[in-house]
Amino acid sequence: MKRALQDYKSAIKPIWCPGCGDYGIVNSVQKALVTLDIAPENIVAVSGIGCSGRMPTYVDFNTMHTTHGRALTFATGIKLAKPSLNVIAVMGDGDATAIGGNHFIHAARRNLDLTAIIINNQIYGMTGGQASPTTPYGANSTTSPFSNIEHAFSIAELAVAAGASFVARGTVYHAVQLDKLIEKGIRKNGFSVVEVMSNCHVQFGRRNKMGDPVTMLNWFKEHAVSKDNGSSMPPDSLDDNFTIGVLADLDKPDYIAEYRKIRQKAKRK
Ligand SMILES: Cc1ncc(C[n+]2csc(CCOP(=O)(O)OP(=O)(O)O)c2C)c(N)n1
């Protein structure tokens, strides 16, 4: 019998702020799993720390809530120990690209078959609104109260440059597309990155004249440009547009396939 959304949901009620983009993202992950019809016992969700890090609490399959910036290291260990598992690492922008930045680029380069879902709310949400590597130039945060003078870097373009097999960017406004992007990311054999532009209207929006979810969703609607209509545009300032869609989809052997070949070679010696 085909599984339903309910088969991937835990009984625990989310405690994210009302209207947080994370609600839509966990829903998209669950919808993708229904489409792919993967048995819950064959899926693992690993997270770091942050609002995004709470996601494994709300799903009903194998989960690990690990340490800030280290979701990919735990995910790597799980996948290497049991390659048959589908391993999804859920991280925030701070988690994945500040403290976990080095792990992120090397995971992309290594090309182990993992799916990294990076929730880019452009701020450190859980700890009170400090600037992250993706806080746009000119934006306000608790650590840049008179506007951010650093420039944001682009998660998806960084992943492409680091060699990830599949890279996509979506937003919580473009919910149907997001279901598909996550589904494609999980389906892909190799390191997949799905960056999701999400609203933290409480910590980011409030300080940047977008204090409610609807205003933030409209900002995504107005600034997202389909990959089919333009070249890749990473967001840097709040006036910039950014590209959504699939940015890379490469065919190359994943780490475990390569590792097995090497083992055969070593055995023949
Ligand atoms: C080693 C370590 N450093 C710092 C922290 C404090 N900390 C917890 S969550 C967080 C930032 C969360 O921001 P982000 O990763 O963007 O996720 P969000 O809460 O926005 O989803 C920080 C700095 C920690 N828990 N552990």
Side-chain angles (χ1 to χ4, degrees):
M1 202 176 65
K2 200 158 160 39
R3 291 175 187 87
L5 216 52
Q6 215 49 39
D7 295 314
Y8 300 100
K9 282 190 180 173
S10 83
I12 299 168
K13 285 235 177 318
I15 55 160
W16 288 312
C17 301
C20 174
D22 289 359
Y23 287 97
I25 301 169
V26 70
N27 201 39
S28 283
V29 171
Q30 288 158 336
K31 282 204 266 179
L33 293 173
V34 170
T35 307
L36 295 167
D37 199 25
I38 305 173
E41 60 269 29
N42 292 331
I43 314 162
V44 190
V46 186
S47 72
I49 303 291
C51 300
S52 48
R54 296 194 58 81
M55 193 165 290
T57 318
Y58 309 131
V59 296
D60 192 14
F61 33 87
N62 305 293
T63 60
M64 271 185 102
H65 192 176
T66 71
T67 46
H68 193 48
R70 300 295 180 271
L72 283 171
T73 63
F74 285 86
T76 298
I78 294 166
K79 186 72 183 177
L80 287 177
K82 201 159 183 204
S84 62
L85 292 172
N86 287 278
V87 184
I88 303 168
V90 182
M91 297 164 283
D93 44 290
D95 193 17
T97 65
I99 190 170
N102 226 2
H103 293 293
F104 175 57
I105 55 176
H106 291 287
R109 184 179 65 80
R110 189 175 302 122
N111 200 34
L112 186 63
D113 180 24
L114 303 172
T115 308
I117 298 176
I118 304 180
I119 302 177
N120 182 1
N121 59 13
Q122 303 170 290
I123 202 96
Y124 282 8
M126 179 172 266
T127 44
Q130 297 84 358
S132 85
T134 60
T135 302
Y137 175 78
N140 294 331
S141 70
T142 50
T143 49
S144 57
F146 305 107
S147 93
N148 186 20
I149 56 171
E150 293 185 6
H151 296 270
F153 69 34
S154 159
I155 296 175
E157 279 76 4
L158 181 67
V160 174
S165 280
F166 178 87
V167 181
R169 186 189 289 115
T171 86
V172 288
Y173 173 80
H174 304 82
V176 177
Q177 181 193 39
L178 185 61
D179 300 345
K180 287 268 159 266
L181 295 177
I182 292 178
E183 182 197 320
K184 282 185 183 164
I186 297 172
R187 201 188 287 276
K188 182 75 184 181
N189 188 22
F191 191 74
S192 310
V193 177
V194 181
E195 176 187 359
V196 189
M197 301 297 291
S198 181
N199 59 296
C200 179
H201 48 284
V202 175
Q203 299 295 0
F204 182 79
R206 248 179 340 129
R207 294 186 174 86
N208 291 287
K209 299 194 181 88
M210 295 189 280
D212 64 277
V214 175
T215 311
M216 287 213 73
L217 289 176
N218 273 329
W219 188 84
F220 294 136
K221 178 183 167 192
E222 281 154 18
H223 290 82
V225 178
S226 165
K227 177 73 172 71
D228 306 331
N229 296 337
S231 60
S232 188
M233 289 177 282
D236 182 18
S237 91
L238 284 169
D239 301 326
D240 286 347
N241 290 337
F242 60 90
T243 317
I244 55 170
V246 176
L247 305 190
D249 190 356
L250 312 172
D251 279 322
K252 51 184 185 182
D254 80 296
Y255 184 86
I256 287 176
E258 296 286 19
Y259 189 76
R260 286 189 172 131
K261 280 190 234 158
I262 285 294
R263 274 186 61 183
Q264 287 307 324
K265 256 192 201 169
K267 271 189 192 161
R268 282 199 293 271
K269 283 246 166 192

